[in-house]
Amino acid sequence: DQGSDCLYVSHLSGDDSPQCGSFAVPCRTLTQALLLVNDGGKICLNGKDSESNPYECLKRDSPNGNEFKTIEKSVSIQGVSSPAHISCGLVFASRSKYGSVKVSLSNLVFNNSRYGLVFLNVPSYHVVISKCKFINCSKAIFMLWEGSQGSSFTSKRSSLEVTDSEFRNNTFSIEFGPKFKNGSIKVSLSNLLFDNGTYGVALVNVSSFDVVIAKCKFFNFSKAAVGLFWNEIKSVIREKSSLVATDSKFRYNAKSL
């Protein structure tokens, strides 16, 4: 794939500079690519030999050591040549309380990281994930609203679509934090393997959700394959929701739901 719409990255032959990113002159690091890519742009990661030399993410110094720096733009990231391995979390945030973030990921492997993909206080997100693997993460995909900071944002409709992917040995494979009034989530999970962890999918104080699970496998979860949690908190108003699972297998779990 030598499409001109890609910002190319190769840890084997690339070199970071303000001008890198073409197929002939790729960047070397995902960090540089995330700084250079335009809002709504596309990054192509050369996955060859990345299992032994995985890509890292944006970081910043803090009193607690290195922390992941948030990405405040929409972006598509795909592995090319072979699946691209990433050893860190991609943390997305919004620039405004009305902001929307669109993210597309394909042919990537997130391994041995606290987080794989995080949306932090993003009012509206639309995420499409295909042909990816999340392995040995504390929380593979995490939609988080934090306390007072999150309450200053206006939560709107969001969506997550995941197809043809695997989640192995994660504590939480997919977790949704609180979403407030009028903050509905549409989730489509198709042809996925969830294997070993505490919860496969967890929705915590989500006011309104529409979840469709099709042709998925949930095996070996110590608490539940799918967990729905509700605590009475003033900022969340429960609304009509639905969860439908078809052609799926739930085996060796403490509970299916």
Side-chain angles (χ1 to χ4, degrees), residues 187-225:
V187 182
S188 175
L189 308 177
S190 177
N191 198 29
L192 308 180
L193 172 63
F194 296 86
D195 188 16
N196 194 40
T198 304
Y199 289 97
V201 178
L203 295 99
V204 183
N205 293 324
V206 178
S207 58
S208 176
F209 55 83
D210 178 6
V211 180
V212 177
I213 299 171
K215 298 180 180 179
C216 293
K217 299 176 181 178
F218 292 83
F219 299 153
N220 302 306
F221 286 95
S222 61
K223 293 294 186 180

Side-chain angles (χ1 to χ4, degrees), residues 141-181:
I141 300 175
F142 190 25
M143 280 60 175
L144 173 65
W145 284 74
E146 285 187 330
S148 59
Q149 183 181 0
S151 63
S152 67
F153 284 67
T154 301
S155 176
K156 300 186 293 184
R157 293 183 178 180
S158 299
S159 65
L160 171 67
E161 178 183 337
V162 189
T163 60
D164 304 318
S165 298
E166 296 182 7
F167 298 81
R168 295 179 182 271
N169 305 320
N170 306 299
T171 306
F172 289 78
S173 292
I174 302 176
E175 180 181 353
F176 298 89
K179 293 289 282 184
F180 306 106
K181 186 176 180 181

